[in-house]
Amino acid sequence: MKEKMKKKNFLLLAFTVTVMCVGQVSAQEKGYGAVGANIVGGFGGGYTNLGVGAELQLNFLHPLRIEGSVTPFIRNRNISMLDASLNLHWLAFLTDRFCIYPLAGAGMHRVSLLTPDAKYGGLETDEEIKSLSEWKVCGNFGGGLDFYLTDVVILNFEAQYKYLKYVKDASRINVSAGISYLF
């Protein structure tokens, strides 16, 4: 009974926070949100691959911005990956068209070994390989820069270290370049 009440209270709190955030964002001026696409190079675990991702950014409190992103990585050597992240950026404008930012956040990362002989990093046992193919929580740390081509179009570059504590040799560095449209 207590578990059911905790679940209901959590869902009510999550719904309330979501409604408040949506109301806050919609009440702001144009230019406080952006949607974009990027190309990501992933390096780590003795493995390199490319991904194409999508991102949604919301400036909720100047100079803070929250970004949600999803990046499926292209299959390489019978290994595919999917990464979903939620990061916080602290924007530091150097000019009216150029800003840099540190980032920190968390995400979910999954590696799929598509054939039994596919190898990733230092994983050797079947148990380690099976563990890798489950969704894992990761910590994200890094930084980036935005260059405003126009009032509504931004070029962005970012590098982040994805720390996966529960899987040896699976942490990686993702480097991305992309374009975003402000709304």
Side-chain angles (χ1 to χ4, degrees):
M1 184 71 169
K2 283 185 180 182
E3 282 297 315
K4 201 171 189 179
M5 285 299 288
K6 284 181 184 178
K7 226 181 242 186
K8 283 183 181 179
N9 287 339
F10 176 76
L11 289 173
L12 179 62
L13 177 64
F15 177 75
T16 303
V17 169
T18 302
V19 168
M20 289 172 60
C21 289
V22 169
Q24 177 68 22
V25 169
S26 65
Q28 294 179 350
E29 300 173 24
K30 182 177 179 178
Y32 279 84
V35 62
N38 53 30
I39 296 175
V40 182
F43 311 92
Y47 184 73
T48 301
N49 59 351
L50 286 175
V52 178
E55 62 189 20
L56 175 66
Q57 300 172 335
L58 296 174
N59 292 3
F60 64 96
L61 183 64
H62 186 71
L64 299 177
R65 173 173 73 194
I66 194 163
E67 174 189 76
S69 64
V70 176
T71 305
F73 286 88
I74 298 167
R75 178 177 162 172
N76 182 17
R77 292 187 349 223
N78 290 317
I79 300 173
S80 68
M81 296 182 182
L82 182 61
D83 181 74
S85 295
L86 187 63
N87 294 316
L88 182 65
H89 301 171
W90 184 353
L91 306 176
F93 280 87
L94 303 177
T95 69
D96 62 336
R97 296 233 179 250
F98 184 75
C99 78
I100 60 174
Y101 55 88
L103 72 84
M108 299 293 290
H109 189 79
R110 182 169 187 218
V111 176
S112 296
L113 304 176
L114 303 174
T115 62
D117 61 335
K119 297 290 182 208
Y120 183 82
L123 304 180
E124 296 167 1
T125 68
D126 288 341
E127 185 176 307
E128 288 175 325
I129 291 170
K130 182 178 183 240
S131 170
L132 181 66
S133 67
E134 298 168 357
W135 283 100
K136 298 291 183 190
V137 174
C138 62
N140 303 325
F141 310 96
L145 58 95
D146 287 345
F147 179 73
Y148 289 72
L149 288 176
T150 69
D151 289 342
V152 294
V153 178
I154 304 170
L155 286 180
N156 50 35
F157 303 93
E158 192 171 279
Q160 57 181 278
Y161 177 72
K162 297 194 159 293
Y163 176 70
L164 287 125
K165 176 182 178 183
Y166 305 107
V167 182
K168 75 176 183 180
D169 294 335
S171 295
R172 54 193 284 118
I173 294 174
N174 286 351
V175 178
S176 67
I179 190 162
S180 298
Y181 176 77
L182 286 170
F183 58 87

